[in-house]
Amino acid sequence: VQLQASGGGLVQAGGSLRLSCAASGVVFKLDDMGWYRQGPGKERELVASITTGGVTDYAGSVKGRFTISRDNAKRTVFLQMNNLKPEDTAVYYCNAETYPDPWQRRDVWGQGTLVTVSS
């Protein structure tokens, strides 16, 4: 399975962006999905995650501003980002826990999409 992310761009502080990440290819099961980000000179960090049942988790720095959601039928995960801050500037990566077969798990990463927030 492959993940294709889209929706990044340049936005002013206080603005909004919506990221999408669609899974393609054959897989036995698509499990938890999430968004990570890596800012300049920083390590990659978890931004938000969502289970197949819709249970969500967020990094403290984005709680109340970002919303993760998914469409299981379309195998797509979204990240709605509101009230963006310059410190949100990063490359955003989507991630999915996949099961190519019932016995093995494989983490898959998207190619990354750049979000730049200007002050």
Side-chain angles (χ1 to χ4, degrees), residues 7-117:
L10 173 64
V11 65
Q12 288 187 334
S16 299
L17 282 175
R18 188 186 193 218
L19 306 183
S20 300
C21 178
S24 62
V26 177
V27 66
F28 173 75
K29 180 181 179 183
L30 189 63
D31 213 337
D32 295 358
M33 300 184 77
W35 289 94
Y36 289 71
R37 68 185 180 186
Q38 187 166 15
K42 298 180 180 179
E43 293 187 353
R44 190 174 297 189
E45 62 175 353
L46 175 67
V47 176
S49 64
I50 185 168
T51 68
T52 52
V55 177
T56 59
D57 190 26
Y58 296 92
S61 59
V62 306
K63 276 185 180 178
R65 300 188 297 121
F66 291 10
T67 302
I68 189 170
S69 60
R70 66 189 288 171
D71 183 330
N72 289 329
K74 296 182 178 179
R75 303 197 301 174
T76 302
V77 64
F78 306 96
L79 186 68
Q80 178 66 43
M81 304 184 293
N82 298 328
N83 190 21
L84 282 159
K85 303 177 180 181
E87 51 263 42
D88 295 318
T89 294
V91 177
Y92 284 70
Y93 300 89
C94 58
N95 169 271
E97 295 178 0
T98 72
Y99 288 82
D101 55 55
W103 305 280
Q104 60 175 330
R105 167 186 154 176
R106 182 178 301 164
D107 272 1
V108 178
W109 292 89
Q111 84 283 13
T113 184
L114 178 62
V115 172
T116 303
V117 184

